[in-house]
Amino acid sequence: MTPFLSHTMRGLCIAVSLILHSFFTNAQCPTVVWGDEFENTSLDLTKWSYQIGDGCQEGICGWGNNELQYYKESNVTVSNGQLHITAKKERVQAKSYTSGRIRTINKGEWTYGRFEARIKLPYGKGLWPAFWMLPTDEVYGGWPQSGEIDIMEFVAADPTRTLGNLHYGDPYPNNKYQGASFALNSGNFPDAFHNFAIEWEPGIIRWFVDDILFMTKTTQDLTPYNWPFDQRFHFLLNVAVGGNLGGAVDDTIFPKVMDVDYVRVYNGFKAYITGDRTVANQEAGVTYNIGNLVSGTAVTWTVPAGASVVSGQGSAQAVVNFGTTSGNVVATFNTACGTQQLTIPVYVEPAFNKEFSFENFDEPATVTLNTYTGTLAEVSNPSATGINTSALVGRYTRNSTQQYDVLVYNVTNITDGSLYSNKSKKFYMDVHTNAPAGTEILLQLETSTATSSNYPTGRHSRYVGTVTSPNQWQRIVFELLDKPDGSASNTGITKMILLFASNTFTGHTYYFDNLDSYTAGTSNAPPTVVITSPASNASFASGTVVNVTANAADSDGTVSTVEFFANGTLIGSDSSSPYATNWTIGTGSYTLTARATDNAGAATTSAGVSVSGTASAPTYVYVSSIVTGTVSAGGGSKSGTATITLRDNTGNPVSNATVTGTFSGSFSETKSGVTGTSGTVTLTTTAKLKGTLTVNFCVTSVTHSSLAYNASANTITCTGQAAAAAQMNDEPKLTAYPNPFSQSFELSIHLPKESKVSVGLYDASGTLVQTVEPQVYRAGAYTIRFNNLDSNSRFYFVKAVINDREYYIRQMNQN
C-alpha cells in the first residue's frame, strides 16, 4: 500500500500545495496507487476491516442516525469480480434487519488525490447505501469537527438521485453540512453501474458522477468554520436500513444487494465534462467545458439532432443552440493515454405554457395565505417595466433573525405533486430584489404530516430558483432540488412554502408577483370573461339585491365555472350560462370582478366594475334593545332602571325620540324620556324599594318628529317571560347545507323582519377566515356561500349578528 500523500507527509501539505495543484490539473494518465478490483473469493483483509454491530459499542447506538440494521460480517461477500453488501430482513438482538459495513482505517488512508468507485445501487424504499470517507486521526476533535466526506449517498426511495455532502462545524447538535444532488435525466441508478468520484486537493473538493462534475466546495464555502480536510481520511462502504435519511422501510423488498465493481485511488485527476443537463425547449447559448485537459488539446463536439455547435468546435469549450430533441453532448479528444470520450446526456424540455396563477396581486389568489415570519404587504409595483407591468405586487422583507424564514400558503389546486417533481409542470415567479446575484429562493411542497420539528417527514419536494439580476424584475423558473421524503403522498399536498435565502440571517426585500403553474405540451388558451351588469359606476340604495351577470367563453374548451367577487370577497358562483349571482349591496364603494375557469384549469379575471351603495333614507324607528336593572337610592333602597335603544330601518341609532313605557314586577309606574346621540335613554323609577327586586319594562309608545314608530319591527318590546316567548316566535333561523361538507357549504338565513346582518366564519382555532360585511336585509330568505375552505381545519363555526344579537351554528364538520 502506497498512499499518494502519507500520514508522515502531512506537514508538507502547505509547502507543496501549488506543485500538487499543477500536477493534478495537467496529469493526463493518472495512475492507480491503491485499489481493490475484488477479484478474489473473499474480502481482502489487508485492505478492509469489518464493522460489526448496531453502533452501541462505539457509543452511537443506531450509528448516530437512528439506523435500524445490525452489521454482520456474513453480509459482505466477494464473487465474480465484485463486492456484494446485502441487506436482509433478519432479526439480531433488538434489530430487525442486518447488513454490512467495511472500512480501510489503518490499511488505506490518504490526503488528496482522486477517489473513485464503480457501484450498482439497490432498489428498495428504506435503503441508504453510501461510499464515504472519515478522518483517521480526528485532529480537530470528534465528529463532525474533523470532517466527513460523502462521495455518494443514495436514498433508495428516490432511485433517480444520489447525494454528495461535506460534514463539518461544531459538535452535535450544532454541526453543519453542505451538499448537492445529482439526478439522472432518464432511468434509475439501480438499473446499471455508475462511477462515483471526488477529486481532492488543498482547499478544494470536486464531486463527479460518470465523469460529470456536479459540485465543488472550497475553504471559502465553509467560512467561518474550519476546513478540516487537510488530514488523512479512509474509505467506508455500507448499506444502512431506515434511519434519519433512509426513512420508512418496505419489508417486502429484502434481500437487497449493493454491487461494487472496484474502488480506486489515483495520483492525479481525469478529464471531466461540465454543463447543463436539462435545457429549455430551443434554448440557445448553452456552454459545455472539458476540465483537467492540457491547454490546446483539440476537442470534437457532437450534439443531438436539431442542435448546433455555434462556437468552440475544436476547443475545450463549446456553445450549443438546442432544438426540441434530447440526446447526448459528446466530447472526443486524444491525449497521451489515447482517444477519450466524455458524454453528458441532455434533456430538452417540452414547451411550457401557463396553466394558472397561485398568487397574482391584481386578481384573487387561488391559494390561501397561512403564515409568514418576515413582513408581507401588497404594494404598488416599484418598477412597472420590463417583464412585469402589474399595478400591484407583494413585498416581502425577510426576517433577519430567522435562519429559515418562511412564507406559507395553503393550497388545494396541486392535485398531483409528482407532475412537478417529474417536470411535467413547473413553478415560475417574478422577482425584484436587492439581494445579490446567486441568492436562492426555495419553494417547498408539504403534506399535512409535516411539522416544524419532524424534517424530512411530509416534505414532498423542494425546488430552487436563483436571483441573477438584482434590482430589476426577472422571471425565475424553479427547478427540482430534491424530494426529502420519498414516501410523501403525491395527492396530499396541502402547503406551498417559499424560503427566501434559506439558511441565512439576511434581511433583504423581495418584491414578487405572478407565482404561476406552467404545464408542458400544447398551449391551453385561457377563457375570456366580462361583467355585463350592473353598469360601471352604477349606484344602489344600501340593502338592494343586485343581479350581477357575466359573459364567459373558452376558444379551445369549455367554461367550468364563473366566480363573482366584490372587493376580492367571493359573493357567488355559477357553472352554467347565463352566468349570474344575486348580491345584497351594502353602504360604500365596491369593485366587482368575475373569474372564469376552463376545463383545463386555466383562469381569467375580468376587468373591474365600480359600483356604490348609498345609505337609504330612514322611514321608521323601532326598539332594538331593552336592558333592565336597579340603581342605589340611598339608605339600602334601590330604584328600577330600563335602558332602551332605538334604531331606524337602516340600522342607525335614532336620537331625539320620546320613549314611554311601563315598569312592572316589583315596580308599577309609567316613565318617559328622550334618546341621546347613541339612540339610548335610561328611565328610572320614582319609587324606592328594599329587598330582592324584579324589574320588567314594556315600551308603550315612541314618538319622533319625522320617523314613524313601527312596533312590529321591534327586536324586543317587553322584558320578562312574556316578552321572551314573543321573541322566540319571531326569531331568525340559520341552517347550513351540506353538513358535513367538503370545501364549501351554503348558509341559509330566514329573517322574519327587516334586519341588519353581518356574518363571520371561524376555524377551529377561532381565527376569522371569511366575512360578510354588515348589510340591511328585507324580511325573507337569503343564501350565503362559503368556498375554498382549508381541509386541514376539520370544523368551522358560524356567527351571525342580527340586529345586535348573536346567533351561532356551533360546528360545521368537513368530510
Side-chain angles (χ1 to χ4, degrees):
M1 180 179 67
T2 307
F4 175 65
L5 186 60
S6 70
H7 179 47
T8 59
M9 297 176 65
R10 287 192 318 237
L12 301 177
C13 289
I14 298 176
V16 301
S17 63
L18 294 177
I19 298 172
L20 292 174
H21 181 270
S22 175
F23 174 75
F24 288 157
T25 301
N26 293 302
Q28 293 301 303
C29 295
T31 301
V32 176
V33 296
W34 184 95
D36 196 339
E37 305 295 322
F38 302 110
E39 295 176 345
N40 299 318
T41 57
S42 61
L43 190 66
D44 186 345
L45 297 182
T46 67
K47 297 178 178 180
W48 302 93
S49 299
Y50 297 100
Q51 279 195 284
I52 307 301
D54 58 6
C56 292
Q57 185 175 350
E58 287 78 2
I60 47 172
C61 291
W63 297 100
N65 300 299
N66 298 306
E67 296 167 28
L68 305 178
Q69 77 288 336
Y70 188 98
Y71 287 127
K72 295 172 58 181
E73 181 177 326
S74 60
N75 290 56
V76 180
T77 58
V78 176
S79 64
N80 300 319
Q82 295 174 5
L83 169 75
H84 311 289
I85 299 180
T86 304
K88 302 177 181 179
K89 181 73 172 69
E90 179 180 49
R91 189 169 187 85
V92 174
Q93 296 182 14
K95 298 296 183 179
S96 299
Y97 309 92
T98 63
S99 187
R101 172 165 159 158
I102 58 175
R103 59 181 178 168
T104 64
I105 190 168
N106 298 317
K107 299 178 180 181
E109 295 133 334
W110 309 270
T111 310
Y112 311 134
R114 178 181 173 92
F115 306 89
E116 178 181 303
R118 186 168 182 262
I119 301 174
K120 185 177 182 182
L121 294 163
Y123 276 108
K125 181 179 175 183
L127 298 181
W128 178 9
F131 170 44
W132 51 304
M133 303 181 78
L134 282 175
T136 297
D137 305 305
E138 294 194 331
V139 171
Y140 299 107
W143 189 91
Q145 292 170 290
S146 293
E148 173 184 324
I149 305 171
D150 299 325
I151 303 173
M152 181 280 299
E153 290 184 285
F154 180 60
V155 181
D158 182 2
T160 66
R161 185 179 305 273
T162 58
L163 309 171
N165 288 294
L166 284 182
H167 294 265
Y168 61 97
D170 295 328
Y172 178 85
N174 299 314
N175 51 297
K176 302 293 180 183
Y177 74 94
Q178 294 186 35
S181 65
F182 182 96
L184 296 173
N185 284 339
S186 62
N188 298 311
F189 274 102
D191 295 339
F193 280 91
H194 292 269
N195 288 356
F196 304 97
I198 62 166
E199 291 180 350
W200 174 21
E201 56 184 310
I204 185 169
I205 303 175
R206 294 178 290 272
W207 280 256
F208 304 88
V209 173
D210 297 332
D211 294 323
I212 301 171
L213 176 69
F214 75 95
M215 180 174 68
T216 301
K217 292 296 177 183
T218 68
T219 54
Q220 288 78 15
D221 292 312
L222 271 59
T223 302
Y225 294 95
N226 178 55
W227 173 270
F229 306 104
D230 57 0
Q231 306 296 318
R232 60 176 183 166
F233 277 62
H234 59 272
F235 286 134
L236 295 96
L237 281 164
N238 70 291
V239 178
V241 180
N244 298 346
L245 198 57
V249 182
D250 178 2
D251 283 348
T252 66
I253 66 172
F254 296 98
K256 285 295 181 179
V257 183
M258 178 175 75
D259 301 317
V260 183
D261 187 30
Y262 63 75
V263 179
R264 296 171 182 167
V265 180
Y266 293 87
N267 66 353
F269 297 156
K270 293 182 177 181
Y272 63 86
I273 189 169
T274 64
D276 291 342
R277 295 182 300 114
T278 300
V279 299
N281 196 269
Q282 302 184 64
E283 185 172 349
V286 183
T287 300
Y288 293 90
N289 286 282
I290 305 300
N292 289 345
L293 195 63
V294 171
S295 177
T297 301
V299 179
T300 300
W301 295 89
T302 58
V303 295
S308 60
V309 179
V310 295
S311 67
Q313 184 64 268
S315 72
Q317 182 181 88
V319 178
V320 180
N321 288 352
F322 285 91
T324 60
T325 304
S326 302
N328 293 330
V329 172
V330 180
T332 305
F333 49 90
N334 292 311
T335 70
C337 296
T339 300
Q340 297 185 51
Q341 194 172 79
L342 296 175
T343 301
I344 185 165
V346 179
Y347 172 65
V348 178
E349 296 177 330
F352 282 84
N353 301 283
K354 181 178 177 180
E355 183 183 25
F356 60 86
S357 180
F358 293 103
E359 176 71 284
N360 179 335
F361 295 92
D362 291 313
E363 60 185 45
T366 61
V367 292
T368 303
L369 183 63
N370 181 304
T371 187
Y372 46 90
T373 50
T375 303
L376 176 65
E378 183 177 294
V379 299
S380 298
N381 191 334
S383 178
T385 57
I387 66 169
N388 191 311
T389 57
S390 299
L392 298 174
V393 299
R395 182 183 66 204
Y396 190 78
T397 302
R398 198 185 183 285
N399 186 336
S400 61
T401 68
Q402 295 290 324
Q403 185 174 4
Y404 298 98
D405 179 285
V406 294
L407 171 61
V408 183
Y409 288 105
N410 296 334
V411 296
T412 58
N413 48 0
I414 298 180
T415 55
D416 185 351
S418 69
L419 297 178
Y420 294 92
S421 58
N422 69 20
K423 301 182 181 180
S424 296
K425 294 187 178 185
K426 282 194 172 186
F427 300 103
Y428 286 76
M429 185 171 72
D430 293 345
V431 174
H432 184 297
T433 178
N434 59 353
T439 299
E440 291 185 343
I441 302 173
L442 299 183
L443 187 154
Q444 183 167 297
L445 300 183
E446 293 187 355
T447 69
S448 59
T449 60
T451 69
S452 61
S453 59
N454 69 346
Y455 186 89
T457 300
R459 278 71 172 181
H460 176 275
S461 48
R462 299 194 302 168
Y463 307 81
V464 61
T466 304
V467 174
T468 58
S469 305
N471 300 309
Q472 65 184 60
W473 283 108
Q474 69 173 93
R475 186 73 167 152
I476 283 181
V477 56
F478 289 90
E479 299 292 351
L480 179 67
L481 176 64
D482 56 22
K483 298 173 65 178
D485 181 1
S487 64
S489 169
N490 287 321
T491 58
I493 307 298
T494 60
K495 287 184 173 59
M496 173 194 292
I497 300 176
L498 291 175
L499 298 97
F500 296 92
S502 182
N503 196 23
T504 72
F505 291 97
T506 56
H508 295 107
T509 295
Y510 299 81
Y511 295 93
F512 69 101
D513 195 15
N514 300 320
L515 175 54
D516 299 330
S517 174
Y518 276 60
T519 186
T522 304
S523 174
N524 171 47
T528 59
V529 60
V530 61
I531 291 180
T532 53
S533 69
S536 187
N537 299 317
S539 180
F540 302 90
S542 177
T544 301
V545 177
V546 179
N547 184 241
V548 186
T549 63
N551 285 339
D554 187 40
S555 62
D556 58 355
T558 58
V559 175
S560 297
T561 186
V562 174
E563 298 167 293
F564 296 90
F565 300 85
N567 290 349
T569 299
L570 183 69
I571 58 173
S573 62
D574 199 350
S575 58
S576 60
S577 181
Y579 304 101
T581 192
N582 288 328
W583 167 60
T584 303
I585 192 170
T587 302
S589 298
Y590 298 88
T591 298
L592 302 178
T593 55
R595 180 172 66 197
T597 303
D598 69 13
N599 58 299
T604 303
T605 298
S606 71
V609 171
S610 298
V611 296
S612 60
T614 58
S616 304
T619 57
Y620 63 81
V621 61
Y622 67 93
V623 178
S624 66
S625 70
I626 304 173
V627 178
T628 58
T630 60
V631 63
S632 175
S637 298
K638 297 179 182 178
S639 296
T641 62
T643 301
I644 304 97
T645 301
L646 303 183
R647 294 189 180 276
D648 62 33
N649 55 294
T650 67
N652 293 315
V654 177
S655 60
N656 297 316
T658 301
V659 179
T660 302
T662 303
F663 285 96
S664 61
S666 301
F667 299 92
S668 180
E669 58 182 281
T670 299
K671 286 288 184 177
S672 296
V674 179
T675 57
T677 56
S678 61
T680 63
V681 60
T682 298
L683 305 180
T684 305
T685 62
T686 303
K688 305 172 184 178
L689 301 175
K690 295 183 178 181
T692 302
L693 304 177
T694 301
V695 182
N696 296 325
F697 186 84
C698 288
V699 174
T700 55
S701 68
V702 176
T703 58
H704 189 269
S705 60
S706 59
L707 300 177
Y709 171 45
N710 183 359
S712 64
N714 286 353
T715 302
I716 184 171
T717 302
C718 298
T719 62
Q721 292 183 351
Q727 291 174 55
M728 288 179 64
N729 294 328
D730 203 26
E731 285 289 317
K733 295 180 176 62
L734 276 69
T735 57
Y737 179 83
N739 187 9
F741 64 93
S742 178
Q743 290 181 337
S744 63
F745 70 90
E746 292 184 346
L747 174 69
S748 295
I749 302 178
H750 177 78
L751 300 174
K753 59 188 175 183
E754 184 173 86
S755 305
K756 185 176 182 180
V757 179
S758 64
V759 179
L761 179 68
Y762 298 80
D763 65 16
S765 67
T767 301
L768 180 66
V769 294
Q770 292 188 30
T771 61
V772 176
E773 296 180 355
Q775 300 176 33
V776 175
Y777 294 84
R778 297 184 178 90
Y782 297 89
T783 299
I784 299 170
R785 187 173 180 83
F786 293 98
N787 292 314
N788 302 321
L789 301 180
D790 182 6
S791 60
N792 286 330
S793 183
R794 301 309 303 166
F795 72 86
Y796 292 81
F797 67 89
V798 175
K799 180 177 78 173
V801 180
I802 304 175
N803 295 329
D804 298 322
R805 295 189 63 191
E806 295 182 353
Y807 299 83
Y808 292 89
I809 297 181
R810 288 291 180 183
Q811 185 164 329
M812 292 293 301
N813 296 291
Q814 281 196 310
N815 290 324

